[in-house]
């Protein structure tokens, strides 16, 4: 019977030692395991940018009646170089990612005094409020609904306080005397589509920063329709108390804008107001012809009926005719040359001798520099 031979364990130890010694350098050359890299820190989100926009507006006006012109909004000084308005506005717009925002417009100049002239506050209040044309907080409640709370420009009219945003330099009589300049309260803007927008306001009233008469606010509603790229229609109404006692005031205002040709745009504005037995109404028609990319010619005609109470201070019927030559100069400078004629059925306009006239005509040169940026 054959016996299997076995290598004694003590005889195998030298062989195992040699194998271990040969493998040791190989293990030493293996790289040490590396730790997982730490994740990079998340970048700090940039703060939302704030838009800064503003302008400086100055003019020279000559009244051929040789006295301060009547029935004008802000171009009220005769034969003098005048600072109309210097404005700087700060705005952070609302977005779906940043739903809070604000706007604040700070105004300085003669126009700021005139805008605040109807403010019911005492003289100290007027001095504060006249420098704050607008100041409101915004909140995007839904993707289609924006809420603004504070002081804001009126929803009425075809023109605005800033001359650079109007077709003419001098404001229409309807803008200055038939409608308010501003309100304080709550404004809700619902954008139903790119063709329809609805705005509702609850305010203290007309040109009123703090007082609510009879404990009842004024209510306003505006609808804007844009059926196509060439037509825009705006209609609005406001109703509420405007005195500590007395009848409520009603105002209806509508504006229609039509792009007739690439160079010709037409605009019309109608206002009707009623407060008890006092009534006023008027219509304005505008035509803007863009002769060149830097030169526009604008004509405006108004008919005013203030014979039922003198709300617009005219106290009768009248007309206005305005012709404006608008030039855009290099360096964001706007130059406007303007002829403005006022007509009344009966003598209304003073001359330098204090004699009332049926007409008043002026020539004006307005210069505006506008700027903008972000901070």
């Amino acid at each position: 019977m054959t016996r299997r031979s076995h290598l004694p364990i003590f005889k195998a130890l030298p062989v195992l030692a040699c194998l271990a010694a040969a493998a040791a350098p190989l293990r030493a050359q293996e790289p040490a395991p590396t730790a997982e890299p730490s994740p990079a820190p998340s970048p700090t989100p940039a703060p939302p940018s704030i838009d800064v926009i503003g302008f400086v507006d100055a003019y020279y006006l000559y009244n051929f009646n040789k006295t301060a012109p009547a029935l004008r909004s802000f171009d009220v000084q005769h034969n003098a170089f005048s600072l109309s308005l210097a404005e700087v506005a700060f705005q952070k717009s609302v977005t779906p990612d940043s739903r809070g925002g604000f706007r604040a417009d700070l105004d300085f100049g003669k126009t700021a005094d005139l805008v605040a002239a109807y403010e019911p506050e005492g003289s100290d209040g007027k001095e504060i409020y006249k420098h704050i044309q607008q100041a409101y907080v915004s909140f995007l409640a839904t993707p289609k609904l924006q809420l603004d709370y504070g002081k804001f420009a009126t929803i009425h009219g075809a023109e605005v306080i800033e001359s650079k945003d109007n077709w003419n330099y001098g404001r229409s009589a309807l803008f200055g005397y038939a409608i308010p300049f501003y309100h304080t309260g709550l404004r809700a803007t619902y954008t139903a589509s790119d063709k329809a927008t609805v705005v509702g306001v609850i305010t203290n009233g007309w040109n009123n920063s703090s007082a609510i008469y009879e404990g009842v606010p004024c209510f306003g509603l505006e609808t804007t329709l844009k059926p196509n790229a060439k037509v825009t229609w705006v209609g609005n109404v406001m109703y509420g108390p405007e005195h500590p006692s007395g009848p409520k005031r009603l105002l209806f205002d509508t504006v229609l804008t039509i792009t007739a040709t690439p160079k010709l745009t037409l605009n019309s504005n109608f206002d009707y107001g009623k407060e008890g037995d006092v009534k006023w109404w008027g219509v304005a028609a505008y035509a803007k012809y863009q002769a060149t990319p830097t030169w526009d010619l604008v004509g405006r005609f108004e008919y005013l009926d203030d014979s039922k109470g003198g709300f617009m201070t005219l106290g009768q019927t009248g007309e206005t005719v305005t012709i404006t030559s608008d030039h855009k100069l290099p360096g964001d400078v706007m130059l406007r040359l303007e002829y403005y004629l006022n007509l009344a059925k009966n003598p209304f306009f003073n001359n330098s001798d204090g004699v009332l006239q049926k007409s008043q005509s002026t020539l004006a040169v307005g210069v505006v520099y506008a700027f903008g940026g972000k901070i």
Side-chain angles (χ1 to χ4, degrees):
M1 183 175 182
T2 305
R3 296 179 67 181
R4 178 178 291 178
S5 64
H6 296 277
L7 183 63
I9 187 66
F10 63 86
K11 292 184 177 180
L13 289 176
V15 177
L16 295 174
C18 290
L19 292 174
L26 296 177
R27 288 195 301 269
Q29 296 174 5
E30 293 177 359
T34 58
E36 291 294 329
S38 301
S42 300
T44 302
S49 61
I50 296 175
D51 295 316
V52 181
I53 52 179
F55 65 90
V56 177
D57 177 358
Y59 72 93
Y60 171 85
L61 180 143
Y62 186 86
N63 183 3
F64 290 96
N65 287 1
K66 299 182 179 180
T67 188
L71 207 65
R72 299 294 179 85
S73 297
F74 308 136
D75 47 337
V76 295
Q77 293 180 283
H78 161 65
N79 196 23
F81 297 101
S82 306
L83 170 64
S84 178
L85 187 63
E87 178 178 292
V88 59
F90 303 89
Q91 176 173 307
K92 189 268 177 185
S93 300
V94 297
T95 66
D97 296 327
S98 181
R99 296 166 67 179
F102 76 96
R103 177 160 179 140
D105 297 38
L106 306 180
D107 287 3
F108 304 90
K110 184 67 175 177
T111 294
D113 289 326
L114 296 169
V115 169
Y118 299 101
E119 180 66 48
E121 288 286 321
S123 58
D124 292 340
K126 288 184 180 182
E127 284 300 309
I128 296 172
Y129 292 125
K130 75 178 185 180
H131 296 301
I132 306 174
Q133 185 200 127
Q134 297 192 107
Y136 57 83
V137 177
S138 300
F139 178 68
L140 190 64
T142 74
K144 293 187 176 184
L145 178 62
Q146 178 175 326
L147 303 177
D148 301 315
Y149 185 74
K151 182 180 180 182
F152 43 83
T154 187
I155 59 176
H156 304 289
E159 301 173 9
V160 295
I161 293 172
E162 293 79 6
S163 68
K164 68 182 182 63
D165 298 322
N166 297 323
W167 289 5
N168 302 97
Y169 183 78
R171 312 316 183 275
S172 66
L174 289 179
F175 171 83
Y177 295 89
I179 65 173
F181 292 142
Y182 62 86
H183 311 282
T184 300
L186 175 65
R187 177 176 62 189
T189 303
Y190 181 74
T191 305
S193 67
D194 59 351
K195 295 184 177 182
T197 303
V198 178
V199 178
V201 298
I202 304 175
T203 76
N204 293 340
W206 291 30
N207 307 322
N208 189 337
S209 295
S210 61
I212 294 182
Y213 296 121
E214 301 180 3
V216 179
C218 289
F219 298 90
L221 182 67
E222 176 185 79
T223 301
T224 300
L225 300 177
K226 299 180 180 180
N228 55 58
K230 294 184 177 182
V231 178
T232 300
W233 175 81
V234 181
N236 49 57
V237 63
M238 178 164 278
Y239 179 77
E242 293 296 340
H243 301 284
S245 62
K248 305 294 190 295
R249 184 180 298 175
L250 170 70
L251 173 67
F252 173 74
D253 172 270
T254 183
V255 179
L256 177 64
T257 305
I258 299 175
T259 303
T261 72
K263 289 191 173 185
L264 179 63
T265 306
L266 306 175
N267 195 10
S268 62
N269 179 207
F270 173 78
D271 286 304
Y272 172 81
K274 184 178 186 298
E275 189 175 61
D277 296 331
V278 177
K279 300 176 184 178
W280 64 98
W281 69 273
V283 62
Y286 306 73
K288 178 180 180 181
Y289 180 74
Q290 187 161 355
T292 73
T294 60
W295 178 33
D296 299 333
L297 284 173
V298 180
R300 178 181 65 204
F301 172 79
E302 291 181 278
Y303 178 82
L304 314 168
D305 189 335
D306 193 36
S307 58
K308 302 295 184 180
F311 181 86
M312 292 190 285
T313 76
L314 184 64
Q316 57 178 303
T317 60
E319 298 89 32
T320 78
V321 177
T322 311
I323 300 174
T324 307
S325 181
D326 181 10
H327 305 263
K328 297 175 178 62
L329 304 181
D332 299 318
V333 175
M334 179 185 296
L335 171 66
R336 285 178 164 177
L337 310 176
E338 184 167 276
Y339 173 76
Y340 197 144
L341 172 66
N342 294 88
L343 299 169
K345 182 179 179 180
N346 302 308
F348 176 81
F349 305 98
N350 273 314
N351 66 12
S352 57
D353 297 323
V355 179
L356 294 180
Q357 309 289 315
K358 288 186 177 182
S359 66
Q360 167 188 268
S361 59
T362 63
L363 285 176
V365 179
V367 181
V368 181
Y369 171 74
F371 59 89
K374 291 182 177 292
I375 56 175

